[in-house]
Amino acid sequence: MMSRKYVSLVVLMFLCFHASITEGQQAIYEDPNQPIERRIKDLLGKMNLEEKVGQMTQIERTNATADAMKSYFIGSVLSGGGSAPKVNATPKEWMDMVNGLQQAALSTRLGIPMIYGIDAVHGHNNVANATIFPHNVGLGVTRDPQLVMQIGGVTALEVRATGIHYAFAPCLAVCRDPRWGRCYESYSEDHTIVQQLTTLIDGLQGIPPGDMKGMPYVHGKTKVAGCSKHYVGDGGTVNGINENNTIVDDSTLYGIHMPAYVNSIAKSIATVMASYSSVNGVKMHANKQLLTDHLKGKLGFQGFVISDWQGIDRITSPPHSNYTYSIQASVTAGVDMIMVPYEYKEFINGLIDLVKKNVIPMSRIDDAVTRILRVKFATGLFEYPLGDYSLVNEVGSQTHRELARRAVRKSLVLLKNGKPGNPTLLPLPKITGKILVTGTHANNLGYQCGGWTIEWQGVSGNNWTAGTTILEAVKKTVDKKTKVVYKMNPSKDYPEKTNLDFAIVVVGEVPYAETRGDSTNLTIPDPGPHIIENICKNTKCVVVLISGRPVVIEPYLDKIDALVAAWLPGSEGQGVADVLFGDFGFTGKLARTWFKRVDQLPMNVGDPSYDPLFPFGFGLETQPTSQTTDTVKLEL
Ligand SMILES: *[C@@H]1O[C@H](CO)[C@@H](O)[C@H](O)[C@H]1NC(C)=O
Ligand SMILES: *[C@@H]1O[C@H](CO)[C@@H](O)[C@H](O)[C@H]1NC(C)=O
Ligand SMILES: *[C@@H]1O[C@H](CO)[C@@H](O)[C@H](O)[C@H]1NC(C)=O
Ligand SMILES: *[C@@H]1O[C@H](CO)[C@@H](O)[C@H](O)[C@H]1NC(C)=O
Ligand SMILES: *[C@@H]1O[C@H](CO)[C@@H](O)[C@H](O)[C@H]1NC(C)=O
Ligand SMILES: *[C@@H]1O[C@H](CO)[C@@H](O)[C@H](O)[C@H]1NC(C)=O
């Protein structure tokens, strides 16, 4: 038993220490006028091992009780895909949740704020009624760095409007094989387009005042920390198999998959996420050469490296079969923050044990914590840890939707317009007799948005979030005198029995995300192909394809009068109707090669045997028929 004298001494020491950081003069780390590096050094010097390991731990919101935050000094919380405080949570309810967890973090001994992260990958896509932008595959078509920067700015604002500080974006994958289910998260097969569109970072984080030499930069309360992912080579796996092996020579690795990370660091990206995939057989989560020597050493990245979801578990096969090894291999390789996200006690105890046994040196822990604190200081979390309720109305605002609608217009690619010997079909007339809008994707907002929308794998239907379907958009666009008939899947003889001027057929892929989205045949599911065949054989038709990548279309091409690739446009279907009916012209150019048959894959621009259906860079143009001007007014 401790003597009473000893106990009082301990209590006295505690009180003195506590007073020195709460009452007496401000600690150096609490002083916003001190340089960040000085604040980090001061704070790190005050932290014990448990507090340091807590900073390296990111847990899922379902595990993040106030008690867990306090007892384990948790440094970061995330929402997995679809993980909301409740179904249809309002921005205020999101902010209440985040602020509550922040209060718990602030109540710990040193009061280090936590950072909350989320996959805001095409707008703030987990949040009901947020503005949903086209997925990256569509943004690549625009080749418009300014537009993508503005999208980053709006996304940051909507994320902050729910109290959240950190977005796991941009995805800088250079998708080299559309069989990969995450291909829609990639801007292009061409790394120069991916590099150009790293301007998303400028929008998310703000533009740094000068060369920050790899230091993270996040400008103020309406910006968020970004995350370039998935480092590196995620888009180059064998046969496009998710999380698989990327077999590359140095010129492919450093010439195709790496360049956008160099741009990101020049833009002061705050964090980088390791890829589940391997490079030449070495798991990226355990790849010291690429994480530590190259990214942090050669490229000078000073922010933190985060793991992917249970990414360290998957270092071993089967996953989580030797978690001690997973912790050791990932932290030693240079992963700084671990997205655990559930079994955090096992991770924390495991890491503490490895440090106590000198398997992982304290210098590695200190480096990881320094990097994490650097991002937290840069993000202003010590100065304004709590969300600002005056921002809640920013989510899904009309101005933001106007920007998304513009992005949709610019992301469409016109692949065919008229059969040989016939006049062009597009732009469509607004005044006509009777038109048919048909297809599985014509009136389905969930399908139109794709994966990573409300739920991880996406949703079906119009009741999940706000927006405009393509059907609704067509109805709003045509003249009152024009009769619009909608049939999702009309009977085989329908067009024969009726007097249609033309049909708009909207079909495509159903939503998917990683792994489940991998496809070996790249066909659009039934009844999509049947609807094309039935309608297009009897009436003039424009087919609008909703898909995350090029799909098999060659067998139907002769029957189709006009073909538009609309990718995954998001919540603002009005952008599709704006261009179909000529208020704006088609301008988009393919940022991917459109194959004829899957047995040609992988096939990318520049390949020696290149025989595409539509080559990279292809896209027909139309002139606008009216003098509509684009009037998005944004001050970001
Ligand atoms: C979303 O918007 C709809 C109207 O379009 C409204 O009924 C619903 O309450 C909103 N949901 C949230 C979570 O704000
Ligand atoms: C790649 O996929 C194959 C087939 O599914 C599997 O056997 C192999 O383990 C995977 N490789 C990696 C590195 O994940
Ligand atoms: C787990 O990995 C560690 C570190 O490499 C090793 O020492 C240990 O034997 C492994 N345990 C099992 C059960 O394979
Ligand atoms: C974390 O949450 C998951 C899912 O709700 C649960 O299964 C698990 O037991 C929790 N882990 C801890 C350490 O509380
Ligand atoms: C939307 O409708 C589907 C099918 O009726 C239902 O299962 C789902 O819960 C609804 N979603 C919301 C957010 O209400
Ligand atoms: C294509 O593959 C999917 C599984 O990825 C399968 O469900 C579907 O039936 C296949 N389609 C055809 C036409 O073979």
Side-chain angles (χ1 to χ4, degrees), residues 62-63 342-345:
T62 50
N63 293 98
Y342 295 129
E343 298 309 330
Y344 61 91
K345 293 178 195 172

Side-chain angles (χ1 to χ4, degrees), residues 238 241-246 276-278 281-283 317:
V238 177
I241 299 171
N242 193 223
E243 304 186 11
N244 211 261
N245 194 12
T246 297
Y276 286 123
S277 54
S278 303
V282 182
K283 293 271 186 186
S317 179

